[in-house]
């Protein structure tokens, strides 16, 4: 390098000369990769939420079947046929809106499912839990604190003592 | 002298190169900023159409399930009893309605009340956020006659207050109202609701979910054999919205609040409205 250039005013070397232009390039790269990561996370979360929404509708569709529940055994058969891995769920039949003394509300943390006689004579709840869950499981606010809770309700009829009673299928699902 | 001139030219050239480099970098930053903004908006809007489709699917599923439940349900023969009463004589709700209609080609007030209570209870979980209309109608009726035998409407009452360029919506008192419509006019005795009026309303409410089930009713003129009449039950529900008063109003539709209409039953009257 000629000696005159080294002593030129403002010259701080081949890389140093480009230093001011490197700053906006680095800022641009940081902005790009940050927004790329944000978008990727947003897509991922949205896909996960949509998969959960679809899964809860699928749980409800299987448990409703043709909308006519014949008895405890019929409901248990529908429950056993469920093979949904995307969400955990607690579902059941309630007459909260249709019984004369019903509470006319659905509280996911205090779900009261309808009981009816099974073929063996015992009275059993029309409820269904995701595979592998504790049969005595109950939803609590602490349990769903860091989870996304989905609640869907659909009308069904339940045949009990040859009387066709309108009731509701409640599906509470979380991920 | 010549060497000094060459050095000056070289310095000027380096200065221009430095300016060009920083301008390129700023252009790069502008492009990156634009690209990042685009990514941000795409990420925020991603999945909205699928979510809307899932919401429509829920409405459709609910509507179908609700209509099936209405049509399958049982009801006590004595409307003062309930399905859980061990002494109640039970019949199918649809049989109860058909039997009533076969008497005089009308659905009596007491049967209308039984039907209303069933529909109200079945749709109760979504009644806060959805409006709906449930009706029984005859098929193949001339456009001059009203085909509707029973029309129940649940809608959200809203008041819009215009403030400058925006409108503010406030819930009415009560926030929802249940109406029985197509009540015959006192002046003419004719039911006012024509076949196209419900279609016109549905065209103004946005996305709606409709389910329909076919029925066979019996009619018998005095001294003649009974004849079968094709009819259908339809349930249409949509997310609660403000209804256009030009398309829907109490007078044109012959609507009465259920509480007013059924209050006469407490005094023992069971005649047609």
């Amino acid at each position: 390098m000629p000696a005159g250039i080294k002593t030129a005013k403002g010259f701080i070397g081949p890389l140093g000369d480009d230093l001011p232009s490197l700053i906006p390039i680095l800022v641009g790269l940081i902005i790009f990769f940050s927004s790329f990561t944000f978008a990727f996370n947003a897509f991922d979360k949205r896909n996960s939420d949509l998969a959960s929404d679809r899964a809860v509708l699928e749980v409800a569709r299987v448990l409703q079947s043709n909308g006519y529940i014949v008895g405890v055994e019929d409901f248990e058969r529908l429950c056993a046929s469920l093979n949904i891995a995307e969400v955990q769920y607690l579902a059941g039949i309630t007459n909260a809106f249709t019984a004369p003394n019903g509470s006319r509300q659905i509280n996911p943390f205090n779900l009261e499912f309808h009981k009816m006689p099974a073929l063996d004579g015992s009275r059993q709840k029309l409820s269904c839990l995701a595979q592998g869950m504790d049969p005595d499981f109950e939803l609590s606010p602490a349990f769903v604190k860091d989870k996304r809770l989905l609640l869907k309700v659909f009308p069904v009829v339940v045949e009990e003592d040859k009387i066709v009673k309108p009731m509701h299928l409640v599906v509470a699902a979380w991920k | 002298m010549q060497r000094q001139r060459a050095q000056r030219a070289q310095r000027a050239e380096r200065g221009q190169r430095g300016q060009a480099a920083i301008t390129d970098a700023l252009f790069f930053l502008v492009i990156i900023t634009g690209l990042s903004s685009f990514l941000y908006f795409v990420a925020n809007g991603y999945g909205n159409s699928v979510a809307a489709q899932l919401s429509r699917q829920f409405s459709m599923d609910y509507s179908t399930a609700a209509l099936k439940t209405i049509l399958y349900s049982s009801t006590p023969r004595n409307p003062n009893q309930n399905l859980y009463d061990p002494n109640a004589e039970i019949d199918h709700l649809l049989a109860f309605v058909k039997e009533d209609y076969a008497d005089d080609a009308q659905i009596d007030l007491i049967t209308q009340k039984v039907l209303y209570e069933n529909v109200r209870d079945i749709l109760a979980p979504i009644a806060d956020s959805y409006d709906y209309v449930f009706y029984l109608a005859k098929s193949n009726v001339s456009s001059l006659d009203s085909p509707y035998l029973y029309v129940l409407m649940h809608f959200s009452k809203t008041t819009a207050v215009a403030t400058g360029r925006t409108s503010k919506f406030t819930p009415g008192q009560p926030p929802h109202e249940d109406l029985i419509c197509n009540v015959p006019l006192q002046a003419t005795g004719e039911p006012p609701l024509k076949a196209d009026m419900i279609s016109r309303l549905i065209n103004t409410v946005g996305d709606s979910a409709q389910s329909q089930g076919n029925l066979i009713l019996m009619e018998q003129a005095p001294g003649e054999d009974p004849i079968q009449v094709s009819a259908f039950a339809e349930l249409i529900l949509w997310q609660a919205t403000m209804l256009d008063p030009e398309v829907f109003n109490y007078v044109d539709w012959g609507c009465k609040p259920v509480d007013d209409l059924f209050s006469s039953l407490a005094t023992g009257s069971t005649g047609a409205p």
Side-chain angles (χ1 to χ4, degrees):
Chain A
M1 188 176 289
I5 295 174
K6 279 184 186 170
T7 56
K9 202 175 176 183
F11 182 73
I12 48 173
L15 188 63
D17 228 17
D18 287 339
L19 206 57
S21 60
L22 282 177
I23 293 168
I25 289 173
L26 286 175
V27 170
L29 287 175
I30 290 168
I31 292 173
F32 177 74
F33 283 109
S34 303
S35 54
F36 189 78
T37 309
F38 165 78
F40 185 79
N41 287 338
F43 291 154
D44 197 38
K45 185 177 181 305
R46 199 67 202 258
N47 280 337
S48 170
D49 288 352
L50 291 173
S52 306
D53 289 346
R54 271 202 307 271
V56 73
L57 286 178
E58 186 64 24
V59 171
R61 193 169 297 148
V62 171
L63 290 179
Q64 278 183 95
S65 182
N66 60 356
Y68 197 109
I69 310 291
V70 180
V72 176
E73 290 75 14
D74 182 34
F75 191 71
E76 282 175 351
R77 182 183 55 77
L78 292 169
C79 179
S81 71
L82 269 169
N83 189 18
I84 305 284
E86 284 90 347
V87 289
Q88 298 280 74
Y89 52 85
L90 167 61
I93 306 284
T94 178
N95 57 1
F97 290 99
T98 49
N101 54 354
S103 61
R104 299 196 70 78
Q105 61 172 357
I106 289 172
N107 179 358
F109 305 121
N110 185 25
L111 290 169
E112 289 178 0
F113 296 126
H114 181 63
K115 281 184 181 173
M116 64 183 287
L119 286 178
D120 62 4
S122 62
R123 284 186 77 81
Q124 290 184 19
K125 272 198 298 191
L126 290 169
S127 66
C128 174
L129 270 167
Q131 285 175 2
M133 289 182 66
D134 179 5
D136 297 325
F137 173 82
E138 284 190 3
L139 271 176
S140 67
F143 178 78
V144 294
K145 193 174 68 177
D146 53 350
K147 296 179 176 68
R148 182 169 176 254
L149 179 66
L150 297 161
L151 191 67
K152 296 281 178 203
V153 183
F154 288 97
V156 288
V157 285
V158 176
E159 188 180 319
E160 186 176 7
D161 298 332
K162 295 184 181 171
I163 299 172
V164 186
K165 295 176 178 173
M167 295 192 193
H168 289 92
L169 167 73
V170 182
V171 182
W174 60 90
K175 191 173 186 179
Chain B
M1 191 67 181
Q2 209 172 11
R3 194 174 159 192
Q4 280 177 343
R5 213 178 292 135
Q7 280 177 354
R8 268 202 301 275
Q10 211 170 10
R11 275 204 297 273
E13 192 187 338
R14 280 181 193 279
Q16 280 168 359
R17 274 190 201 162
Q19 280 180 13
I22 201 157
T23 312
D24 288 350
L26 287 173
F27 271 126
F28 177 73
L29 190 60
V30 168
I31 291 166
I32 289 295
T33 309
L35 206 60
S36 299
S37 308
F38 173 73
L39 260 178
Y40 178 79
F41 286 113
V42 169
N44 274 329
Y46 175 74
N48 283 354
S49 60
V50 180
Q53 182 62 41
L54 282 171
S55 172
R56 274 197 292 275
Q57 189 62 50
F58 169 75
S59 304
M60 277 306 303
D61 287 356
Y62 199 99
S63 167
T64 310
L67 188 67
K68 272 188 196 173
T69 306
I70 294 163
L71 299 181
Y72 289 163
S73 291
S74 299
T75 193
R77 297 285 306 174
N78 179 354
N80 295 321
Q81 292 178 311
N82 65 65
L83 284 176
Y84 295 81
D85 193 332
N87 301 318
E89 188 188 345
I90 305 295
D91 201 350
H92 283 288
L93 175 64
L94 209 53
F96 188 71
V97 173
K98 285 180 174 185
E99 187 183 303
D100 180 12
Y101 182 79
D103 284 349
D104 52 4
Q106 278 188 338
I107 298 176
D108 292 347
L109 204 53
I110 188 74
T111 309
Q112 292 193 30
K113 188 176 181 227
V114 169
L115 205 46
Y116 160 67
E117 286 170 347
N118 268 274
V119 176
R120 179 198 61 194
D121 291 349
I122 289 164
L123 288 155
I126 59 161
D128 280 343
S129 50
Y130 281 82
D131 291 349
Y132 58 84
V133 58
F134 170 78
Y135 59 87
L136 302 176
K138 287 202 280 186
S139 312
N140 310 321
V141 173
S142 84
S143 58
L144 296 173
D145 296 330
S146 175
Y148 302 106
L149 306 170
Y150 175 82
V151 181
L152 166 65
M153 181 147 178
H154 168 90
F155 80 105
S156 305
K157 292 175 86 174
T158 314
T159 315
V161 183
T163 52
R165 294 169 65 187
T166 56
S167 292
K168 192 180 170 189
F169 295 91
T170 50
Q173 284 298 331
H176 309 284
E177 190 156 41
D178 292 341
L179 307 168
I180 297 288
C181 298
N182 206 27
V183 175
L185 299 170
Q186 277 190 337
T188 61
E190 292 293 318
L193 202 57
K194 297 289 180 274
D196 63 330
M197 291 168 80
I198 290 183
S199 309
R200 281 178 59 208
L201 174 73
I202 298 311
N203 288 337
T204 64
V205 295
D207 276 340
S208 61
Q210 308 186 19
S211 301
Q212 197 181 83
N214 292 331
L215 310 171
I216 299 287
L217 298 174
M218 300 295 283
E219 279 183 6
Q220 187 172 21
E224 291 181 17
D225 289 337
I227 54 164
Q228 290 189 339
V229 178
S230 297
F232 59 94
E234 181 150 1
L235 175 67
I236 307 172
L237 50 93
W238 61 91
Q239 293 210 344
T241 186
M242 206 171 154
L243 301 180
D244 182 351
E246 299 230 334
V247 180
F248 169 76
N249 61 68
Y250 285 34
V251 178
D252 291 350
W253 281 52
C255 293
K256 283 190 176 176
V258 288
D259 294 338
D260 294 353
L261 196 65
F262 299 141
S263 61
S264 61
L265 289 175
T267 58
S269 163
T270 58

